[in-house]
Amino acid sequence: GAGGDEVRELCHRAARIARGELGRRDDAIAIYDQLFEDEPHDKVASAALRELYGEAARHENLGRLLERLVDLCDMAAERSALRIELARLNVDQFQAVDTAVELLKTVLEDEPGNGDAVVMLSELFEKAQRDEELAELLSGQIEGARQRGDTQAELRFQVRLGEIYDTRLHDRTKAIETYQAVLDRDASHRGALEALARLYQAGGDQAEAAKVLERLVGVSEGDEALRLCGTLADVHEALGDKTAAAAALERGLGIDKAHTEVRARLLGLYESSEAWEKLADHLLTDAELASSVDDQVANLRRAADTHAKRRNDWGQAAAVLERASTLRPDDRELLLLLCDAYSAS
């Protein structure tokens, strides 16, 4: 009745005073404990007890309280949160990993997609090197997410499963299959593309690595895209395809036209593959980018030499030497080269 409610309110007030103003934690615990025993659905009392038991390092009391609260709770989400807290207590304070695992499995039976339980359970399996169980857990979560239509969760779990096959179970074939399954659902999934490129390169399958890297460049930008263009060029060179390697570096220059290392590498590729017209055009751009007149003239002379001796195009050579001569009008050697080019053309 009303009298009972008044008594409870007075007890609550006494507990608050004991805890706060008087700093008598044990007295506060005793009062709240009695309030909870008398009325297990008193959320204020149970919340205060959870805090006080934690502060006092009374872990066994806290564990028993959480177990009682789980039994009393009829809301799945709230029940799951309590079990996860209890699982964490078992791991942190009692090193009872098996007990924690069973609690978390119960959470996933109750709430199949509970992300906190999946994360904690996967961490426990990983630390304990229970890799097969970890793979089973993730496979079950993938299937559950697929049935719920939660594509984002499904792909996240698949990427994680691929990592397990790759780094812990050392099953490269399974890892590749898993990442390919992700790409079947999301062709531009960055994590899966990066993992596949690495796996193919590590396995010496450069042709497949090149295909994946092409896709990865397409979903990247800035410095990352530039770096990947360099990696793609490495793979094409390993395959003996200098033309494709040059095309990859050209994509890189589309991102940063003045990148010194990429320009130097591309110049070497044009030379070794005898792509003379591209080499000459490249040198003209080098001349535009050069900061000193000496460097500008040197690049223009080399471009003119390429047109003349490699392409037998003396007209183009003359046009390039005219540009060089405007930069150095008193350069007698340049004027002689220009006269020779006019004569030859």
Side-chain angles (χ1 to χ4, degrees):
D5 290 342
E6 286 172 12
V7 170
R8 289 189 65 78
E9 182 50 45
L10 285 170
C11 289
H12 270 287
R13 188 177 171 199
R16 286 195 298 272
I17 292 169
R19 182 183 183 184
E21 295 169 29
L22 301 178
R24 288 161 59 175
R25 186 167 56 201
D26 287 347
D27 289 343
I29 287 174
I31 298 168
Y32 280 127
D33 194 33
Q34 190 58 55
L35 283 165
F36 180 69
E37 286 301 320
D38 292 343
E39 177 46 76
H41 292 287
D42 185 335
K43 291 187 180 297
V44 174
S46 62
L49 277 174
R50 282 162 73 178
E51 291 173 9
L52 288 163
Y53 284 148
E55 291 168 13
R58 289 168 62 168
H59 305 305
E60 290 183 4
N61 292 102
L62 179 56
R64 284 194 292 272
L65 174 63
L66 290 170
E67 286 171 0
R68 289 271 314 272
L69 291 172
V70 167
D71 291 338
L72 291 164
C73 186
D74 55 6
M75 300 276 289
E78 195 177 329
R79 198 163 49 239
S80 294
L82 289 165
R83 282 185 174 129
I84 291 167
E85 186 180 341
L86 185 55
R88 196 164 282 117
L89 181 71
N90 271 283
V91 172
D92 295 343
Q93 303 304 329
F94 308 121
Q95 287 73 53
V97 173
D98 288 343
T99 303
V101 164
E102 290 310 312
L103 280 163
L104 294 167
K105 284 182 176 178
T106 307
V107 171
L108 292 176
E109 287 168 13
D110 212 9
E111 276 194 300
N114 188 295
D116 291 338
V118 174
V119 169
M120 189 175 176
L121 192 51
S122 65
E123 286 173 354
L124 290 177
F125 283 150
E126 197 162 359
K127 283 177 186 171
Q129 297 187 329
R130 291 160 66 167
D131 298 325
E132 296 288 351
E133 286 177 273
L134 179 52
E136 283 175 27
L137 167 69
L138 291 168
S139 296
Q141 289 303 307
I142 289 164
E143 185 55 38
R146 186 177 293 135
Q147 289 175 1
R148 295 193 306 275
D150 188 347
T151 305
Q152 191 176 359
E154 178 192 345
L155 297 185
R156 186 173 68 250
F157 288 135
Q158 275 190 306
V159 169
R160 183 85 176 92
L161 180 59
E163 290 170 9
I164 301 307
Y165 281 132
D166 177 21
T167 61
R168 301 186 70 85
L169 297 174
H170 307 294
D171 189 336
R172 181 172 168 271
T173 304
K174 270 282 196 185
I176 288 173
E177 284 175 8
T178 305
Y179 290 127
Q180 286 286 13
V182 173
L183 294 177
D184 289 343
R185 302 294 302 279
D186 179 359
S188 60
H189 193 288
R190 185 172 192 85
L193 287 169
E194 287 174 344
L196 269 180
R198 178 178 50 75
L199 281 167
Y200 283 136
Q201 282 181 280
D205 194 342
Q206 304 292 5
E208 287 301 320
K211 291 177 191 174
V212 175
L213 283 165
E214 286 279 0
R215 292 164 69 178
L216 195 50
V217 170
V219 298
S220 304
E221 54 188 30
D223 291 343
E224 179 63 11
L226 189 60
R227 182 189 68 77
L228 288 166
C229 286
T231 306
L232 180 57
D234 293 339
V235 170
H236 282 307
E237 281 201 85
L239 288 166
D241 191 341
K242 290 183 178 180
T243 303
L249 294 174
E250 286 163 1
R251 284 177 78 174
L253 289 185
I255 298 161
D256 182 358
K257 181 182 178 181
H259 196 284
T260 309
E261 290 174 23
V262 177
R263 294 200 67 79
R265 185 178 174 188
L266 189 51
L267 190 74
L269 271 175
Y270 286 150
E271 204 159 21
S272 64
S273 60
E274 300 184 356
W276 303 123
E277 186 171 5
K278 285 190 171 186
L279 175 63
D281 289 342
H282 192 82
L283 288 163
L284 291 178
T285 305
D286 280 345
E288 290 171 12
L289 294 169
S291 54
S292 71
V293 172
D294 285 349
D295 287 341
Q296 289 175 45
V297 171
N299 282 307
L300 289 169
R301 283 186 62 167
R302 191 174 169 192
D305 194 59
T306 302
H307 279 306
K309 296 178 181 176
R310 299 295 189 180
R311 301 185 61 244
N312 201 32
D313 188 338
W314 289 92
Q316 281 279 22
V320 173
L321 288 167
E322 281 175 3
R323 286 173 59 182
S325 189
T326 59
L327 293 169
R328 283 275 163 76
D330 300 327
D331 189 322
R332 181 175 171 76
E333 189 181 352
L334 262 180
L335 288 170
L336 288 171
L337 286 170
L338 182 55
C339 287
D340 288 344
Y342 281 146
S343 299
S345 65

